[in-house]
Amino acid sequence: MTTVSDVWHIASVSDAARARAAAARLATAAEVPVLERARFLTALTDRLRQCLAQGGAELVVTAERAAADADRRIRVEVRPAGSWAEDAPPWQSTLTCHGPGWPAASDHPAGPDAAELAEALLAADEDTAAALGGLDELEELVRFHREELHQTNQGVLALHAELDAASRAQRELLDAERTARAAAENARRLLTFLTTASAVVTSSLDHEDILRRLPRLLVPEYAAQADIWIFDDDEQAVHHGDRPAAAVTAARTGRPQHAAEHPGALPGVEDHPPSVLSPDRPLLCIPLTARSVLGVLTLTAPGPRFDPDTCVMLLELARRLAIALDNARRYEQHRDTAEALQRAQLTELPAAEGLFLAARYLPATHGLNIGGDWYDAFAQPDGSVLAVIGDVTGHGLRAAVIMGQLRTALRAYAVEGDSPARILTRLHHMLRHQQPDLYATAVIARFRPGDPEVVWSAAGHPPAVVRSPDGEVRVLDTKPGIMLGVPLAYEYEDHVVRVGPGSTVALYTDGLVERRAHGIDPGIERLAHALAALSAAELEDLDACADSLLKPMLHDSERDDDICLLLCRTAP
């Protein structure tokens, strides 16, 4: 290591100035950067000033090099002198030489002339100017970076604003999507309920049954209470009870009414003050209008108010309910008319010598299956009795009318003395040409007083059942002819069965024996067993016998078809 040291004694301000000037020349020779040189000289001057105030100092300048190719350094040390030397530690600073040469040892600062001091002062000003220039550059750079930072901040703020706006827009879209999904789900739920409820109220043709079903559908989800006010033909309430003014207004105007403390703003509904009958809950009174106003449906809100979408669904349900009630009324009127016509055409049974007769007609209790079944019995000029039972396909008024035509024609043909088969052949010919889209089945049996033989003929009808006095039962299962009216030319055949005194012949229509789940044959067997099970005492009263037969045959019947039963018992 190469070391060169100089020690300068600083005892006055002049010594300090000379020492600073020498240090400045040394730093300049070592090509120390201007700012670093200015910092070094400023710190050195401050330290020398402090030492002068306490009695002086020693300035030690040491030039060091560890090797020929190693870094060169100048270490400057200020050692306090006098009383302060013990309390204050020495100050030192190390400068790295940046020039290619090794700085020469400084002359001892003692005794420099005024020219040297002036030169040193000018050099210091140059360093200060250079430092200030550097500071100006730094300030310009700082200003530039500050402006750049400001613009960056503005850009970041703008980006944050855009991100915030995008976030708000996304939240609004999500909220709108949730609202749309909720609305779609609510609409789906209401539509599903409307479809289900419509199917329930329109599946019945009994208006009382419809009125029972509706409240069970609406309460409690869509209404806390559901009341139906139905008018009769004179516009009087069938179901009595106190009625709110809104319901009366709905019945009078035919427009839906809403009664509540605050307007409901319901679509297509007029507002009314709250009802005294329901001051705490809103009422929705909907007229049941089909061809006319049939009544009013009054609903009590399940909550504080009616939902507008739910209100629209309820209005549509009320419209469909009105149509269902109107259809039920028309059906019942049509059914009653058909039944009345049917019964009007079922004549009283004649009193015949040697033959007892009993008949039963039971209209269907489900559906409009009335008007096709009939029975008849009448005496012939020769004293014989024709017992007839038949069934016209189809139901309702038209079937009843056709049945009346067949019954009248059959009696007309029978007057001429034709056999059962000949009568059926003529009926078949008439029906085939006059009513080509209707068919019928029938059985005709001829009873002659004192004659054990019964002549009968059948056209597609269930077979007669015969019970002998000893309880033996036979089914006349000879293959019948085709149905009346089938578009084929056909000649029916007569059949003869021996019937002893006290025997009972049962003629019936398919409604008595046919069941959808089992067909007709098991029903015929059941009828045969029921007839065989009758006692002799029951057979004495043929009307009671008819009722006894019907009980076991009808306990599992759905009664969806007419039933005719004609019992013929020969005298013992």
Side-chain angles (χ1 to χ4, degrees):
M1 175 183 291
T2 303
T3 304
V4 180
S5 298
D6 286 332
V7 180
W8 301 335
H9 295 281
I10 310 298
S12 63
V13 174
S14 298
D15 293 338
R18 295 185 185 94
R20 184 190 182 284
R25 289 194 300 271
L26 186 61
T28 302
E31 298 185 3
V32 176
V34 174
L35 289 178
E36 185 180 349
R37 187 165 69 236
R39 291 190 187 98
F40 163 69
L41 292 174
T42 301
L44 175 62
T45 303
D46 182 64
R47 187 63 176 177
L48 290 175
R49 187 181 296 110
Q50 293 177 9
C51 290
L52 286 175
Q54 299 296 327
E58 288 183 350
L59 178 63
V60 180
V61 180
T62 304
E64 300 176 347
R65 171 180 272 181
D69 56 351
D71 291 338
R72 295 157 297 169
R73 295 190 299 272
I74 300 173
R75 182 164 50 84
V76 178
E77 183 177 2
V78 178
R79 299 172 182 172
S83 62
W84 200 37
E86 297 179 359
D87 298 329
W91 174 89
Q92 67 177 9
S93 179
T94 302
L95 302 175
T96 301
C97 298
H98 295 279
W102 181 260
S106 301
D107 296 333
H108 196 279
D113 55 17
E116 291 177 346
L117 290 176
E119 182 182 352
L121 182 59
L122 292 175
D125 290 340
E126 292 177 359
D127 290 345
T128 301
L132 291 175
L135 289 175
D136 290 340
E137 292 178 359
L138 289 176
E139 287 181 356
E140 181 64 22
L141 186 61
V142 168
R143 186 195 63 78
F144 171 76
H145 286 299
R146 185 180 293 113
E147 181 65 25
E148 189 178 52
L149 180 61
H150 175 71
Q151 293 178 0
T152 302
N153 289 339
Q154 292 297 320
V156 171
L157 291 176
L159 179 60
H160 284 174
E162 291 179 0
L163 291 176
D164 185 60
S167 177
R168 287 197 304 271
Q170 186 176 19
R171 286 196 298 269
E172 291 173 358
L173 288 175
L174 289 175
D175 292 341
E177 182 181 2
R178 293 191 191 98
T179 303
R181 286 184 178 179
E185 176 61 24
N186 185 57
R188 185 199 64 79
R189 179 179 61 85
L190 293 177
L191 184 59
T192 300
F193 173 78
L194 177 62
T195 302
T196 302
S198 300
V200 171
V201 299
T202 58
S203 63
S204 175
L205 287 174
D206 183 346
H207 79 279
E208 292 291 344
D209 184 44
I210 294 173
L211 298 179
R212 285 192 299 268
R213 292 181 180 186
L214 186 66
R216 293 197 295 265
L217 292 171
L218 295 174
V219 178
E221 184 173 0
Y222 297 101
Q225 184 178 354
D227 296 316
I228 306 176
W229 174 23
I230 298 297
F231 311 140
D232 63 9
D233 294 338
D234 297 326
E235 297 297 316
Q236 298 296 324
V238 174
H239 300 275
H240 295 282
D242 293 333
R243 295 182 293 276
V248 176
T249 303
R252 186 179 66 253
T253 64
R255 294 190 297 271
Q257 307 294 322
H258 174 257
E261 184 176 359
H262 302 288
L266 302 175
V269 180
E270 299 177 356
D271 286 308
H272 274 257
S275 172
V276 295
L277 300 179
S278 180
D280 300 329
R281 291 283 185 93
L283 295 181
L284 181 61
C285 302
I286 309 173
L288 302 176
T289 306
R291 293 174 298 170
S292 61
V293 178
L294 305 179
V296 177
L297 171 63
T298 301
L299 302 176
T300 304
R305 60 187 298 273
F306 281 101
D307 177 70
D309 292 337
T310 302
C311 176
V312 172
M313 181 275 292
L314 293 174
L315 294 179
E316 176 61 21
L317 179 60
R319 185 186 70 83
R320 299 183 184 187
L321 172 65
I323 294 175
L325 290 173
D326 186 59
N327 289 339
R329 277 189 171 183
R330 296 175 65 184
Y331 154 75
E332 290 175 356
Q333 293 171 356
H334 194 78
R335 183 178 182 274
D336 293 344
T337 302
E339 182 178 352
L341 178 61
Q342 177 84 357
R343 290 190 179 278
Q345 298 185 94
L346 297 176
T347 56
E348 293 184 3
L349 298 176
E353 180 184 354
L355 184 66
F356 303 97
L357 299 171
R360 292 291 183 273
Y361 169 72
L362 300 178
T365 57
H366 294 286
L368 193 60
N369 298 335
I370 295 176
D373 294 15
W374 93 95
Y375 66 84
D376 198 5
F378 51 92
Q380 293 291 90
D382 59 359
S384 64
V385 175
L386 286 183
V388 182
I389 200 162
D391 185 3
V392 175
T393 59
H395 303 92
L397 286 175
R398 187 183 184 196
V401 170
I402 297 301
M403 179 271 290
Q405 294 176 356
L406 286 177
R407 173 181 169 277
T408 302
L410 189 150
R411 285 198 170 210
Y413 297 148
V415 169
E416 299 180 5
D418 289 338
S419 68
R422 179 58 184 164
I423 295 174
L424 289 179
T425 300
R426 298 179 70 177
L427 284 176
H428 171 63
H429 182 75
M430 180 202 76
L431 192 62
R432 184 161 61 95
H433 287 85
Q434 294 185 3
Q435 300 291 340
D437 56 342
L438 279 180
Y439 311 106
T441 65
V443 173
I444 302 176
R446 184 190 297 274
F447 294 86
R448 294 182 183 276
D451 189 351
E453 291 186 345
V454 175
V455 180
W456 64 276
S457 183
H461 201 82
V465 179
V466 181
R467 183 188 190 276
S468 61
D470 59 3
E472 180 185 357
V473 175
R474 291 174 292 164
V475 177
L476 305 184
D477 54 0
T478 303
K479 184 177 180 180
I482 64 174
M483 295 178 65
L484 300 173
V486 173
L488 293 174
Y490 190 81
E491 294 286 337
Y492 293 89
E493 297 180 2
D494 286 320
H495 306 279
V496 178
V497 58
R498 291 188 62 84
V499 176
S503 297
T504 303
V505 178
L507 305 178
Y508 54 92
T509 55
D510 57 356
L512 180 66
V513 295
E514 188 172 23
R515 302 292 180 270
R516 293 180 182 179
H518 306 291
I520 195 171
D521 290 338
I524 295 174
E525 293 181 6
R526 288 176 55 198
L527 177 61
H529 290 308
L531 190 60
L534 294 175
S535 64
E538 290 175 312
L539 289 173
E540 289 296 329
D541 185 350
L542 207 56
D543 283 319
C545 177
D547 294 332
S548 298
L549 275 179
L550 290 176
K551 288 181 181 179
M553 296 300 298
L554 299 182
H555 76 277
D556 63 341
S557 174
E558 298 179 359
R559 298 290 302 278
D560 55 357
D561 197 4
D562 284 2
I563 294 174
C564 277
L565 174 65
L566 178 60
L567 297 180
C568 309
R569 181 171 177 267
T570 59

